[in-house]
């Protein structure tokens, strides 16, 4: 089985054996799918507001899809504080790390 397939399966299952890069890639995929934009074109320094097709409902959908994919809960205050793709990725990595150490 291809390593990429393993990573994607793991992320979709919400297990805690994810690398930081696997988490970052899955988040890019979620954002790209919701905004109908190529995931590989998303960079950590991009502000959500500067992304094509973005509005508040799509950002909330990205958060919901991310919570579901990683079996985590992102607090509302964090959702409104995060401004860039990289900040969002960092929050998810931290929450996945907390989940795995619990």
């Amino acid at each position: 089985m291809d390593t990429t397939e393993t990573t994607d399966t793991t992320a979709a299952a919400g297990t805690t054996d994810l690398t930081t890069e696997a988490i970052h890639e899955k988040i890019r995929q979620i954002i790209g799918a919701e905004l109908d934009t190529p995931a590989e074109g998303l960079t950590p320094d991009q502000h959500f507001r500067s992304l094509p097709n973005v509005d508040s409902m799509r950002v909330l959908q990205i958060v919901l899809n991310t919570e579901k994919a990683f079996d985590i809960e992102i607090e509302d205050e964090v959702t409104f504080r995060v401004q860039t793709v990289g900040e969002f990725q960092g929050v998810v990595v931290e929450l996945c790390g907390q989940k795995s150490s619990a």
Side-chain angles (χ1 to χ4, degrees):
M1 182 173 353
D2 181 343
T3 307
T4 306
E5 281 182 32
T6 304
T7 301
D8 289 345
T9 304
T10 303
T15 61
T16 57
D17 298 331
L18 296 171
T19 65
T20 299
E21 185 52 41
I23 293 170
H24 286 195
E25 178 58 29
K26 183 66 178 174
I27 292 168
R28 282 192 297 268
Q29 290 172 2
I30 291 168
I31 294 170
E34 183 60 34
L35 300 180
D36 195 28
T37 191
E40 56 276 355
L42 296 170
T43 61
D45 61 335
Q46 284 181 296
H47 283 260
F48 277 105
R49 292 180 187 178
S50 70
L51 296 173
N53 305 318
V54 76
D55 61 29
S56 58
M57 290 304 294
R58 288 185 183 241
V59 170
L60 290 176
Q61 193 61 47
I62 289 166
V63 170
L64 291 173
N65 290 343
T66 302
E67 289 176 329
K68 189 178 198 180
F70 295 102
D71 191 29
I72 58 174
E73 186 175 331
I74 301 170
E75 297 292 326
D76 291 343
E77 64 201 43
V78 174
T79 300
F80 297 116
R81 184 184 73 220
V82 169
Q83 294 186 22
T84 66
V85 172
E87 288 174 359
F88 186 63
Q89 289 170 324
V91 166
V92 175
V93 166
E94 183 179 328
L95 289 171
C96 288
Q98 290 173 1
K99 181 179 154 191
S100 68
S101 65

